[in-house]
């Protein structure tokens, strides 16, 4: 099993819809989780972090964490064409889950269509 | 804050040549990471430094790769000799220890070995 798994997509949603991006991880002791957005030809950019079970909202973005299921998701409400990018899930490595190294999933490509 | 600065942005070299990639982390960040990104393998951690000391180089693919961090504001990744399969985007990222946020990435160096 890969340490961090994501569907590669592409995930296509119409403008204004909710985009749902999913990620599963293998290290049960992981405590923090990050979502990065990467536009084509650009570097990854941190958009959300979550540490506790439940939901965390920031503008149009909501991160959801379920540690029992080892599952983290990112919802994008009112999707815009400018949201079209690859979204990377990242989890720290380490026995305590607070390790200094981030392991990235391969990313899900999101396309928001007009 | 100028962010993480990488140079060069693009590098085209012939097989067998030496390649040196450079990185200046954000001032005050004491962890530095080198990642490689390809379509097939996604983002892979090559090596990371903490307080200028290499902590984990298990991701360095082979002896042709080496990395140094002579001071807190500068790091290099060297490939000698380079091979076509080294073609990828190489990212440098930095982080302040015990920060609750993830890394900040540089703009990357796109390396093409012909």
């Amino acid at each position: 099993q890969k340490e961090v798994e994501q569907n590669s997509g592409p995930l296509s949603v119409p403008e204004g819809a909710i985009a749902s991006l999913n990620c599963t991880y293998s290290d049960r002791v992981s405590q923090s989780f990050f979502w990065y957005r990467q536009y084509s030809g650009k570097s990854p950019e941190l958009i959300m972090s979550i540490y506790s079970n439940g939901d965390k909202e920031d503008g149009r973005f909501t991160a959801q964490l379920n540690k029992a299921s080892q599952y983290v998701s990112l919802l994008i409400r009112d999707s815009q064409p400018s949201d079209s990018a690859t979204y990377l899930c990242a989890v720290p490595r380490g026995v305590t889950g607070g390790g200094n190294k981030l392991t990235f999933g391969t990313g899900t490509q999101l396309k928001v269509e007009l | 804050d100028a962010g993480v600065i990488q140079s060069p942005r693009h590098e085209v070299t012939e097989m067998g040549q030496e390649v040196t990639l450079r990185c200046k982390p954000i001032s005050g960040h004491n962890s530095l990471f080198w990642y490689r990104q390809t379509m097939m393998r996604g983002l892979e951690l090559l090596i990371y430094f903490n307080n200028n000391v290499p902590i984990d180089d298990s991701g360095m693919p082979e002896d042709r790769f080496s990395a140094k961090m002579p001071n807190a504001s500068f790091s290099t990744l060297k490939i000698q000799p380079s091979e076509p399969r080294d073609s990828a985007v190489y990212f440098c990222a930095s982080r302040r220890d015990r920060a609750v946020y993830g890394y900040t990435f540089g703009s990357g160096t796109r390396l093409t070995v012909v």
Side-chain angles (χ1 to χ4, degrees), chain A residues 32 34 36 38 41-46 49 51 88 93 98-106, chain B residues 9 31 33 35 37 41-43 45 48 50 56 91 95 97 100-103 105-107 110:
Chain A
S32 53
F34 303 92
Y36 283 78
Q38 187 176 25
K42 302 295 185 181
S43 59
E45 171 195 14
L46 179 66
S49 58
Y51 310 98
L88 302 163
R93 276 191 216 164
N100 210 16
K101 303 179 292 185
L102 279 181
T103 297
F104 286 84
T106 52
Chain B
R9 289 297 307 274
S31 288
F33 307 83
Y35 280 84
Q37 187 174 38
R41 300 173 68 91
L43 266 170
L45 177 65
Y48 89 90
N50 185 255
D56 185 347
F91 287 106
R95 195 190 89 157
D97 273 356
V100 296
Y101 47 84
Y103 307 168
F105 281 82
S107 299
R110 181 173 294 278

Side-chain angles (χ1 to χ4, degrees), chain A residues 77-88:
Chain A
R77 291 183 301 282
D78 188 24
S79 296
Q80 301 297 308
S82 59
D83 295 325
S84 297
T86 296
Y87 289 80
L88 302 163

Side-chain angles (χ1 to χ4, degrees), chain B residues 14 71 74 111:
Chain B
E14 291 185 349
N71 57 61
F74 184 66
L111 174 65

Side-chain angles (χ1 to χ4, degrees), chain A residues 16-20 56-63 74-80 83:
Chain A
I18 296 175
S20 177
K56 178 182 176 183
E57 188 174 318
D58 184 0
R60 295 187 296 112
F61 298 99
T62 299
L74 179 69
L75 302 179
I76 306 174
R77 291 183 301 282
D78 188 24
S79 296
Q80 301 297 308
D83 295 325

Side-chain angles (χ1 to χ4, degrees), chain A residues 7-99:
Chain A
N7 289 325
S8 60
L11 172 66
S12 294
V13 299
E15 184 178 8
I18 296 175
S20 177
L21 306 164
N22 305 315
C23 172
T24 57
Y25 59 93
S26 61
D27 187 350
R28 282 199 162 274
V29 298
S30 295
Q31 297 177 3
S32 53
F33 306 86
F34 303 92
W35 283 100
Y36 283 78
R37 177 177 62 199
Q38 187 176 25
Y39 292 113
S40 180
K42 302 295 185 181
S43 59
E45 171 195 14
L46 179 66
I47 56 171
M48 285 287 285
S49 58
I50 187 166
Y51 310 98
S52 303
N53 275 332
D55 295 0
K56 178 182 176 183
E57 188 174 318
D58 184 0
R60 295 187 296 112
F61 298 99
T62 299
Q64 299 176 317
L65 175 59
N66 183 325
K67 290 185 179 180
S69 300
Q70 295 174 240
Y71 177 90
V72 59
S73 64
L74 179 69
L75 302 179
I76 306 174
R77 291 183 301 282
D78 188 24
S79 296
Q80 301 297 308
S82 59
D83 295 325
S84 297
T86 296
Y87 289 80
L88 302 163
C89 175
V91 179
R93 276 191 216 164
V95 174
T96 63

Side-chain angles (χ1 to χ4, degrees), chain B residues 60-110:
Chain B
M60 296 286 260
E62 48 197 277
D63 291 345
R64 297 184 297 107
F65 286 69
S66 62
K68 294 182 180 180
M69 191 164 187
N71 57 61
S73 59
F74 184 66
S75 177
T76 59
L77 177 68
K78 185 177 294 186
I79 307 172
Q80 166 62 21
S82 58
E83 296 182 3
R85 59 193 169 119
D86 301 332
S87 297
V89 180
Y90 291 80
F91 287 106
C92 176
S94 70
R95 195 190 89 157
R96 182 182 294 119
D97 273 356
R98 289 182 289 281
V100 296
Y101 47 84
Y103 307 168
T104 301
F105 281 82
S107 299
T109 295
R110 181 173 294 278

